[in-house]
Amino acid sequence: MTRPTIDRLETLIVDLPTIRPHKLAMHTMQRQTLVILRLRCSDGVEGIGEATTIGGLAYGYESPEGIKANIDAHLAPALIGLPAGNINAAMLRLDTLAKGNTFAKSAIETALLDAQGKRLGLPVSELLGGRVRDSLEVAWTLASGDTARDIAEAEHLLEIRRHRLFKLKIGANPLEQDLRHVLAIKRELGERASVRVDVNQYWDESQAIRACQVLGDNGIDLVEQPIARINRGGQVRLNQRSPAPIMADESIESVEDAFSLAAAGAASVFALKIAKNGGPRAVLRTAQIAEAAGIALYGGTMLEGAVGTLASAHAFLTLRQLTWGTELFGPLLLTEDIVREAPVYRDFHLHVPATPGLGLTLDEAQLSRFARR
């Protein structure tokens, strides 16, 4: 019997509106831009993938336009004719051909997994070893920058049982202003919710020493990437003295980074992101490093739409423990999406389908409507 091969890869840039501006330390998102990948195989099976960045080059090394260009010109041609079911061989070919480009590779690996799952009648989580849960608790980011508005938003989400884990994006304002903002929200929410902060590398070490002490002493559960990823010594020192756990995010740009951080003792929590590791299989290698080192796990996001969110979710379902939950709320930030089946959020969790592949079908009309011309 002839094995199916990879016939064609097509990329589209899609711009989707968001429910509100999303304020980060380095950038304010007014919309979300996705790179959607369609991988077609000789047996007629199509796999879909997604690569999404937060704020384009303001956040990381890859932009939507660069992702599309590199897939079209370099990565896709290298895959044509390869066995569609041999994901390992395809990704090894890409790693030999191109350094980095983890966002682009993640979209391709996702599409290969989706196609193989459809071909075999299995959800992606089964291809990744088998799910040990069917849903994931999901945090929400309070990012309006206005204290009263953020409190009202959190109270509403608690009332409708959508979220009880809240992250605050801080760092762009003066330190004392940010601390007042965070502590006011924590006082209002009390023990009804977990409150965490994400600094996106915006503090220097001296600011972080003081801030982490204040935050930890006042019930803040987690501090994400408070100082620059290149200050490895500072991360180690901060992790040793902060009363609140320190989570590495921007510090992990690869699986190799995860090993180096674990060996140095630079964080007690790792944020897992498929886009920054190179795909759902790759992110599980980072998780294995963390678990071996006794480092706790958090399911991170690049604020992907439904495709990237469910690709992450299928990987996270296979993990033994996610101590700090996940942040897979990207589809909830959008007013429109490009899939027929909206991800299901209820009782504080994202519920992940057990249907073949990712469990999603593209909505052709919506895709055409929002695709960048």
Side-chain angles (χ1 to χ4, degrees):
M1 185 175 179
T2 304
R3 291 190 299 174
T5 57
I6 299 170
D7 271 1
R8 188 165 81 253
L9 293 90
E10 176 189 3
T11 56
L12 296 167
I13 295 179
V14 179
D15 296 304
L16 296 177
T18 55
I19 58 174
R20 56 161 163 76
H22 191 74
K23 185 177 176 60
L24 298 88
M26 83 299 289
H27 179 74
T28 298
M29 288 172 45
Q30 304 291 344
R31 63 182 182 181
Q32 184 55 300
T33 298
L34 327 176
V35 181
I36 296 298
L37 175 74
R38 309 182 78 160
L39 181 145
R40 294 185 171 90
C41 306
S42 62
D43 57 356
V45 175
E46 178 182 270
I48 56 176
E50 176 187 339
T52 294
T53 67
I54 300 175
L57 294 176
Y59 178 88
Y61 303 116
E62 294 177 65
S63 68
E65 297 79 12
I67 291 167
K68 175 175 169 53
N70 284 339
I71 291 175
D72 292 349
H74 302 287
L75 304 184
L79 296 178
I80 303 304
L82 291 185
N86 192 337
I87 300 167
N88 194 43
M91 297 312 295
L92 285 173
R93 169 75 67 88
L94 296 185
D95 286 340
T96 301
L97 172 71
K99 304 297 182 186
N101 286 275
T102 59
F103 286 71
K105 290 175 182 176
S106 180
I108 292 170
E109 184 172 281
T110 296
L112 287 166
L113 286 164
D114 182 45
Q116 183 71 346
K118 292 171 180 173
R119 187 174 292 116
L120 300 177
L122 295 172
V124 165
S125 54
E126 299 307 301
L127 302 181
L128 297 174
R131 62 176 64 193
V132 295
R133 57 183 67 81
D134 291 316
S135 66
L136 300 159
E137 182 148 14
V138 177
W140 178 255
T141 296
L142 300 170
S144 75
D146 179 272
T147 303
R149 188 180 306 168
D150 282 352
I151 290 171
E153 187 174 324
E155 292 282 9
H156 172 67
L157 294 172
L158 281 168
E159 183 180 353
I160 65 173
R161 295 180 59 81
R162 210 179 74 182
H163 304 281
R164 58 188 173 189
L165 313 176
F166 296 104
K167 179 194 282 191
L168 306 179
K169 291 286 190 179
I170 60 174
N173 298 315
L175 178 61
E176 297 303 323
Q177 179 181 337
D178 273 343
L179 291 178
R180 287 193 300 271
H181 173 67
V182 174
L183 298 187
I185 292 172
K186 178 58 182 174
R187 279 195 301 270
E188 287 295 323
L189 300 182
E191 298 304 313
R192 295 175 296 148
S194 170
V195 177
R196 304 98 180 265
V197 299
D198 184 5
V199 192
N200 291 125
Q201 309 182 80
Y202 258 66
W203 290 336
D204 61 37
E205 189 175 345
S206 67
Q207 291 175 304
I209 288 170
R210 164 168 161 67
C212 288
Q213 187 69 51
V214 171
L215 294 169
D217 288 347
N218 285 275
I220 302 306
D221 291 333
L222 191 64
V223 181
E224 181 175 347
Q225 198 67 51
I227 63 177
R229 68 180 302 270
I230 62 171
N231 186 359
R232 183 63 54 80
Q235 291 176 78
V236 173
R237 291 187 290 272
L238 197 59
N239 191 46
Q240 290 172 341
R241 69 186 296 173
S242 173
I246 302 297
M247 181 160 71
D249 178 16
E250 285 90 348
S251 292
I252 306 174
E253 297 287 352
S254 65
V255 177
E256 292 77 13
D257 280 340
F259 179 83
S260 178
L261 288 164
S268 54
V269 185
F270 279 2
L272 302 174
K273 294 182 176 179
I274 64 170
K276 291 171 64 177
N277 285 259
R281 298 183 320 137
V283 86
L284 293 181
R285 295 197 286 273
T286 288
Q288 289 160 2
I289 290 168
E291 288 177 338
I295 295 169
L297 298 175
Y298 177 73
T301 183
M302 295 303 294
L303 299 181
E304 292 98 340
V307 176
T309 294
L310 283 191
S312 298
H314 277 281
F316 299 159
L317 290 178
T318 71
L319 295 171
R320 180 177 62 86
Q321 187 170 359
L322 277 165
T323 303
W324 296 93
T326 77
E327 196 179 336
L328 298 180
F329 69 87
L332 296 173
L333 195 62
L334 304 173
T335 60
E336 304 275 358
D337 211 330
I338 52 169
V339 295
R340 294 179 188 169
E341 310 87 353
V344 176
Y345 294 87
R346 67 170 185 273
D347 293 327
F348 308 115
H349 284 68
L350 167 63
H351 296 261
V352 184
T355 47
L358 294 174
L360 293 171
T361 307
L362 291 173
D363 184 319
E364 300 295 343
Q366 285 287 88
L367 194 64
S368 176
R369 177 183 172 197
F370 289 106
R372 191 180 295 179
R373 299 291 183 258

